[in-house]
Every structure is written in structure tokens, then in C-alpha cells.
Amino acid sequence: MSLLSEDSKNNKFKENNKINSNPNKENLTLLPYYFKSNSTSEDPSFPLLNLEERNTSNGGWISEKNCKYPQKIIAKFNKLVDIKQINIIINETKIPKTIQFINCIELEGDLSNRKNKYKYEIIGFIELSSNVETNYKSREFRKIFINIHNTNRIKVLINENYENSFNTYNQVGIVSLEFFGNISNNENEEQNIKALKIKKENHKKLKLFKII
């Protein structure tokens, strides 16, 4: 299966979330993630876990048959990260018309009376090809350059599908979803503060022991 790479003209992102230089020149790493349980549907043969494995041969994720839209995927990172680039490969026949990316920002303070502990900032969206021109023999590949700081989760909203004879049940599918960036400076600072606190606590405990 070949990859069809589209240019950035169908990528709609806020100017403050864009970066002008090519992020490949930076020292970026592939950021591991897992999916929150409140993500939406999946085909039993193509579960969300396939995307976590980052193996395009497993077919990736496909929504359940005749699903409701939009479909929602929440990618969770174990640490605060700075995201500079998103790579995504779309299923060759189960194709959404648009995909929207949203930054989930964790709120601070007393959240006991709040139903939602996050505020949501739209990063942008991509418009996808129907794949008619390739007769569904290629998978659309998008490389998206963004500039998101200090986040630990990204919501992906997948909107309604293109209709075609190979997609009888109006499903959508993502073969691969990758995030590139770095652990944020805030995360490193928090780890240093925690390490310093532990060191001080251990020092206090040592004073409690009487040396014989």
C-alpha cells in the first residue's frame, strides 16, 4: 500500500500554534502515549490499542460499524510534553472528511465542584481527500507542524466519513498516529523539585537515628 502525501494547503491551524521552521531540524523524539477509556468506538478487529503499537501492518484503528459522529480519541501522555509535530496515516477506504486536534489543558485550584477538570483549546484541523483519484490504492499521509507546550493529553475528533463502495458501514479509520516533541521544561523542573524534597526528607530522617 503506497502513501499519498498531501501538502499543507488543507491544514487549518491557528498562527500561534504553528512553527515557521521545519521541526525535523530540531532534536525531536517520538512521544509514547496511551488512550483514555472515554475514547469512542472501535471495531473489534481493529481496536485503538493497534495505534499504541505503532505498527502499520496491523491495520490501525477503525470505528465500529454505523458509528455516531464525531468519533473521539484522547491520547494521554505520562508526562507534560511539548508537541512540535503530528504524523497521521488515514485508512485507504474508511476516510473521514476532517480531523480536528484539541489541546486539553488541566485546570488548577479547587476543582471539586467542577464537572470538567480541563479547558479545551482548538489547535486546528485537516481536510482529507476522498481518495477517489487513486482508486483507494493509497493511504493519505499528513505531517502537521504545531507548537504546543506543557500538555499531557490531546483530543482528536474524527468527523463524518466519505461514502464509497468499499465502506459499506460508514466507518472511519486511522492506520498510524504519532506525536513528536520533547518532555517539557516544566516537567523537568517539577521532577527536580520533587527530588530536592525527597532529599531533604531523607536528611531529616537520618537525624532521627542515634549513632552508637
Side-chain angles (χ1 to χ4, degrees), residues 38-198:
N38 57 344
S39 296
T40 44
S41 73
E42 60 185 21
D43 186 307
S45 300
F46 299 94
L48 273 171
L49 287 176
N50 281 356
L51 293 181
E52 292 184 29
E53 294 176 3
R54 294 163 180 79
N55 178 8
T56 56
S57 64
N58 65 22
W61 164 81
I62 294 176
S63 67
E64 68 181 357
K65 295 177 180 179
N66 298 315
C67 63
K68 294 181 180 179
Y69 290 105
Q71 289 286 289
K72 177 180 68 175
I73 292 175
I74 299 178
K76 178 77 167 63
F77 305 91
N78 285 324
K79 299 179 179 180
L80 291 175
V81 296
D82 299 334
I83 303 175
K84 301 292 186 179
Q85 181 178 325
I86 303 172
N87 288 0
I88 187 168
I89 301 174
I90 307 302
N91 186 282
E92 65 274 14
T93 59
K94 297 168 178 57
I95 309 163
K97 292 181 178 179
T98 62
I99 296 179
Q100 188 176 49
F101 298 90
I102 299 171
N103 185 18
C104 305
I105 303 169
E106 193 166 2
L107 299 173
E108 298 179 353
D110 184 8
L111 305 176
S112 56
N113 295 324
R114 292 183 64 95
K115 291 183 179 179
N116 200 329
K117 297 182 180 181
Y118 294 87
K119 72 173 182 178
Y120 301 101
E121 179 184 85
I122 296 174
I123 303 170
F125 68 91
I126 56 175
E127 297 173 339
L128 299 159
S129 166
S130 66
N131 213 16
V132 173
E133 292 181 359
T134 72
N135 196 27
Y136 310 101
K137 293 179 180 179
S138 295
R139 290 170 172 169
E140 188 167 349
F141 167 66
R142 288 295 183 86
K143 183 181 291 185
I144 305 160
F145 300 150
I146 59 173
N147 197 12
I148 300 299
H149 295 282
N150 304 325
T151 188
N152 64 1
R153 65 182 65 195
I154 295 291
K155 181 189 290 186
V156 184
L157 292 182
I158 302 102
N159 292 299
E160 64 177 311
N161 63 290
Y162 283 105
E163 294 183 5
N164 63 66
S165 59
F166 299 99
N167 190 9
T168 309
Y169 298 104
N170 297 315
Q171 294 165 280
V172 287
I174 296 174
V175 176
S176 175
L177 178 64
E178 296 177 323
F179 299 89
F180 293 87
N182 301 103
I183 303 300
S184 72
N185 289 333
N186 281 8
E187 182 71 35
N188 292 330
E189 287 174 7
E190 287 180 12
Q191 288 179 349
N192 290 337
I193 291 170
K194 287 179 181 178
L196 183 61
K197 286 181 178 178
I198 291 171

